[in-house]
Amino acid sequence: MSSLISTDLVGLDENLGDTSSDVIRALARRVAGVGRAGSAETLADDAIKREASVGTGVPGGIAIPHARSASVTEPTLAMTRLAKKVPFGAPDGDADIVFMIAVPEGADADHMTVLSTLARALIRDDFTAALRAARTPADIVKLVDDEVGGEVDQARGVTGTAAPAGASPDAAPRLRLVGVTACPTGIAHTYMAADALVAAAKRAGADLQIETQGSGQVVPLDPSVIQAADAVIFAVDVDVRDRSRFAGKPLVQGPVKRGVDEPDQMVREAIAAATDPKASRVTGSAASGPVVSGGRQNFGSSLKRWLLTGVSYMIPFVAGGGLLVALGFLLSGYGIALTADGHTVNNAVYALTNYSLTNLPPEGLAYYLGAAAFQIGGVSLGFLVAALAGYIAYAIADRPGIAPGFVAGSIAVFMNAGFLGGLIGGLLAGAAAYWIGKPRVPRWLRGLMPVVIIPLLASIVASGLMLLVLGGPIAALMKGLTDWLNSLNGASAILLGVILGLMMAFDLGGPVNKVAYAFAVAGLSAGSLANPAPLEIMAAVMGAGMVPPLAMALASTVLYRKGFSEPERENGKAAWLLGASFISEGAIPFAAADPLRVIPASMVGAAATGAISMAAGVTSRAPHGGIFVFFAIGGIWMWLLAIVVGAVVSALVLVALKRFVRRRPVGASAAATTEADALVEQRRPVPASA
């Protein structure tokens, strides 16, 4: 790996202009002047665009403008020590030391690790003092080389576990925090914020472990660490990957720059949120499963993560599309999906192609709007398989896997291979993209790999296999599964309802729950008056998924208030609405605190709801929405009765378990026998494996 910086790239005590853009353009010209960028103007424009999104100034008179740019030929550092300070957006004033980090689009992991190491060094007082004391450019180059020349293992993340000064080994357990830092480029602020937050946590007497989602290899936090955490800090400018791992935890969130500028304040807010029942919490579903030690996962755990990622990204297409289809039925009637005699398309398409808002069909405006809603919803549902495959591939190979995954999913639809075909196509596309991207290639080829070569070759491999080899057998298997579902009646249908109910309540939004939900929505588009089985499955799944939060609400706010802590009673109030809306995650705070009583109780009631719903032949044309999509439920009163019965059964079972089955104390709280001690103990979630 060539040197990132040379004396030609360093300037001391110089005047490069009055604005950050002036300085960036001067440094870009310096990079291009030594042959490390093809166009100084393009590099400068990319860095200025990054600067406009959030200033790169950090406390201490430091600025780190940076960018990924197609004009850069190799990772490079350009540095200036300014005679006149220039504003870069730092909260404590202008900057006199500026490092510009220029990275090509296809920079390898080794270079990214070195650059992130330098970025972290720039928030250390000793390093910045040495930069200010340097007499020559050669001194600067030596300082940088000494800092980044040692062995670097950024992939191990950042942890802060040292005890505060004066702490004794027998001191009370410290508050446990976890966090994620991430910025759009993943070069500088991601790692600077991580270090600053960890240092702030040590000053506050707390333990903080950070997952840095930067441009280098990302090693996830150990699930057991997340489970034991009291609160979460997100200092991010982009979406947190696998956010659902933190579901239900008290949350403090802000831009990544706030993690650099105000780390002590963010840590104080997190400590306060840990004991505040009204604090914001991470939304989503917490995937359960075996705890994976360290950063490596076995194949089974990885496969689960890939599939859940695909399902999670697929669900918005299904939920939005399904609700629009249901709205179309409400406005236009079920006949909107039929094809009239003499027509070659269904009534919705016929109305939209032959009429307009200024030339309404004879049925009127509501019918026309219903046709539009039905058609939009149908198109959205059409993305189900492609989105599933695309985001499974994304979970395996990151962005280069998306296009091959979507193409493989579309081929699965073409082959009538359905949901299962999309799942297999996504795995094939992701595996192909991952392996094609592994070999090291010449520098001139790196920029083409993620945008042309990997998508092209992976699409050929995955879609070719689906089209020529796998599509036919998978389509036959899907047809057999559909025929089996249509044959279910009587006791077999009730048994299916019980199984689906148990799955929906087993992990409250985790992998088992998602499998049951995905099974239901996969057949939703095939449901009709002549083929009601998929619609009955959807109704049973949605009703069963509503039971756990409704049962927790009933038990904690009505039946047995004294058996729940104050935070749980507050959560119980919110669980009424969450349950009514079919958001199973409303029960997660209860399950996290007391899994061995909450989960079995939830499963009993959800199984009862699933059985009653299937026995009564209730149907649902909407994939989500709870009681608010009543118009899409066939047999609404029996469906509501099934949900009420399930919620009451679960609540009564939970109350009985709390009253007559004593929870075994854990760890340091073994001596907690009074109700007050138990309430204090509830503040810290108990691991599901306890």
Side-chain angles (χ1 to χ4, degrees):
M1 182 169 61
S2 60
S3 177
L4 296 169
I5 190 170
S6 66
T7 55
D8 295 334
L9 293 164
V10 178
L12 298 180
D13 305 320
E14 55 188 349
N15 188 344
L16 299 183
D18 298 325
T19 68
S20 59
S21 296
D22 293 337
V23 176
I24 289 172
R25 292 193 184 281
L27 292 175
R29 288 192 294 270
R30 193 169 289 170
V31 173
V34 297
R36 296 193 174 201
S39 169
E41 194 65 27
T42 300
L43 172 57
D45 288 344
D46 290 338
I48 291 171
K49 181 179 178 181
R50 170 66 182 88
E51 192 75 22
S53 65
V54 57
T56 58
V58 297
I62 308 295
I64 316 173
H66 52 276
R68 290 177 179 269
S69 178
S71 69
V72 179
T73 57
E74 61 180 296
T76 300
L77 296 173
M79 182 269 186
T80 181
R81 189 172 67 198
L82 298 171
K84 176 185 177 183
K85 290 188 175 183
V86 173
F88 273 84
D92 64 342
D94 300 342
D96 63 336
I97 293 179
V98 181
F99 271 91
M100 182 175 184
I101 303 177
V103 182
E105 290 287 357
D108 60 37
D110 291 340
H111 276 120
M112 299 310 301
T113 300
V114 170
L115 291 171
S116 65
T117 302
L118 175 67
R120 302 170 99 150
L122 288 171
I123 63 172
R124 296 204 326 261
D125 292 340
D126 60 329
F127 186 65
T128 56
L131 293 174
R132 289 193 170 91
R135 295 176 178 272
T136 67
D139 293 338
I140 298 291
V141 171
K142 185 177 186 305
L143 282 170
V144 173
D145 285 344
D146 288 347
E147 187 64 35
V148 302
E151 181 180 357
V152 181
D153 189 11
Q154 180 58 52
R156 288 186 293 183
V158 182
T159 61
T161 56
S168 68
D170 299 326
R174 301 202 296 168
L175 205 70
R176 291 174 288 186
L177 308 175
V178 293
V180 174
T181 59
C183 69
T185 52
I187 300 172
H189 284 80
T190 298
Y191 305 100
M192 296 167 69
D195 282 347
L197 287 167
V198 166
K202 288 182 179 179
R203 290 192 292 271
D207 284 327
L208 171 62
Q209 297 199 38
I210 292 282
E211 178 178 306
T212 52
Q213 296 186 355
S215 293
Q217 181 186 9
V218 177
V219 177
L221 287 168
D222 192 307
S224 63
V225 172
I226 297 174
Q227 189 176 50
D230 297 290
V232 178
I233 298 174
F234 289 161
V236 295
D237 291 333
V238 294
D239 290 340
V240 174
R241 304 178 198 176
D242 294 331
R243 183 187 180 98
S244 60
R245 296 172 293 158
F246 305 92
K249 297 290 184 182
L251 172 65
V252 172
Q253 182 164 350
V256 68
K257 197 167 188 300
R258 190 180 180 220
V260 180
D261 296 342
E262 303 175 9
D264 293 284
Q265 179 64 25
M266 292 194 80
V267 168
R268 284 195 296 269
E269 291 174 7
I271 291 173
T275 55
D276 182 1
K278 297 182 180 181
S280 298
R281 293 180 180 268
V282 181
T283 58
S285 59
S288 65
V291 172
V292 182
S293 299
R296 297 185 179 272
Q297 294 184 327
N298 58 40
F299 177 76
S301 298
S302 296
L303 179 63
K304 180 186 75 175
R305 178 173 58 82
W306 300 334
L307 298 182
L308 289 181
T309 299
V311 171
S312 296
Y313 279 101
M314 175 200 75
I315 286 175
F317 290 94
V318 177
L323 290 173
L324 283 169
V325 168
L327 181 61
F329 287 139
L330 175 66
L331 295 174
S332 305
Y334 293 129
I336 196 68
L338 304 178
T339 301
D341 292 339
H343 293 169
T344 58
V345 294
N346 65 37
N347 292 332
V349 175
Y350 184 83
L352 293 170
T353 54
N354 291 277
Y355 300 97
S356 66
L357 286 172
T358 58
N359 177 30
L360 292 172
E363 293 84 355
L365 177 62
Y367 182 88
Y368 184 75
L369 293 177
F374 177 86
Q375 187 62 23
I376 295 171
V379 170
S380 178
L381 286 172
F383 284 102
L384 185 156
V385 175
L388 173 70
Y391 287 106
I392 288 175
Y394 165 72
I396 298 172
D398 214 328
R399 283 179 293 181
I402 293 179
F406 266 85
V407 174
S410 299
I411 293 296
V413 174
F414 172 75
M415 297 293 294
N416 293 317
F419 180 80
L420 183 59
L423 188 151
I424 294 174
L427 292 173
L428 288 173
Y434 177 79
W435 286 107
I436 292 169
K438 277 187 72 69
R440 298 179 68 90
V441 297
R443 184 179 296 114
W444 60 268
L445 192 57
R446 290 175 188 168
L448 291 176
M449 289 293 290
V451 295
V452 177
I453 296 174
I454 295 176
L456 173 64
L457 296 181
S459 295
I460 292 173
V461 172
S463 297
L465 285 172
M466 285 297 300
L467 188 63
L468 303 176
V469 180
L470 300 174
I474 297 173
L477 180 61
M478 289 297 295
K479 184 178 184 301
L481 178 61
T482 301
D483 293 342
W484 174 73
L485 288 175
N486 292 335
S487 70
L488 290 176
N489 55 64
S492 58
I494 295 173
L495 177 60
L496 179 61
V498 170
I499 294 172
L500 291 172
L502 292 171
M503 293 175 70
M504 288 300 293
F506 177 73
D507 53 2
L508 305 173
V512 176
N513 172 287
K514 279 188 169 63
V515 167
Y517 183 71
F519 174 69
V521 300
L524 188 60
S525 59
S528 65
L529 295 176
N531 180 28
L535 306 181
E536 293 173 357
I537 290 172
M538 189 71 253
V541 164
M542 183 153 61
M546 295 165 64
V547 166
L550 290 174
M552 298 305 106
L554 179 63
S556 63
T557 65
V558 178
L559 298 181
Y560 192 49
R561 288 175 55 84
K562 68 179 182 179
F564 296 85
S565 66
E566 179 58 30
E568 288 177 324
R569 290 194 290 270
E570 289 295 324
N571 288 328
K573 296 175 184 177
W576 285 111
L577 180 59
L578 294 174
S581 304
F582 181 37
I583 301 176
S584 302
E585 290 85 350
I588 285 178
F590 299 89
D594 193 2
L596 297 183
R597 289 185 289 196
V598 168
I599 290 177
S602 297
M603 292 174 66
V604 171
T609 295
I612 295 171
S613 179
M614 290 294 290
V618 178
T619 62
S620 172
R621 293 180 177 273
H624 214 286
I627 64 172
F628 300 103
V629 291
F630 61 90
F631 54 83
I633 306 295
I636 182 66
W637 296 113
M638 282 302 299
W639 189 65
L640 292 175
L641 176 63
I643 294 169
V644 169
V645 169
V648 170
V649 167
S650 283
L652 291 176
V653 171
L654 178 60
V655 169
L657 290 175
K658 281 187 170 289
R659 293 190 63 179
F660 303 114
V661 179
R662 183 168 296 278
R663 178 180 173 186
R664 186 175 64 183
V666 179
S669 58
T673 55
T674 67
E675 182 170 291
D677 288 335
L679 293 180
V680 171
E681 180 194 357
Q682 292 286 344
R683 185 181 68 80
R684 188 180 301 281
V686 175
S689 59

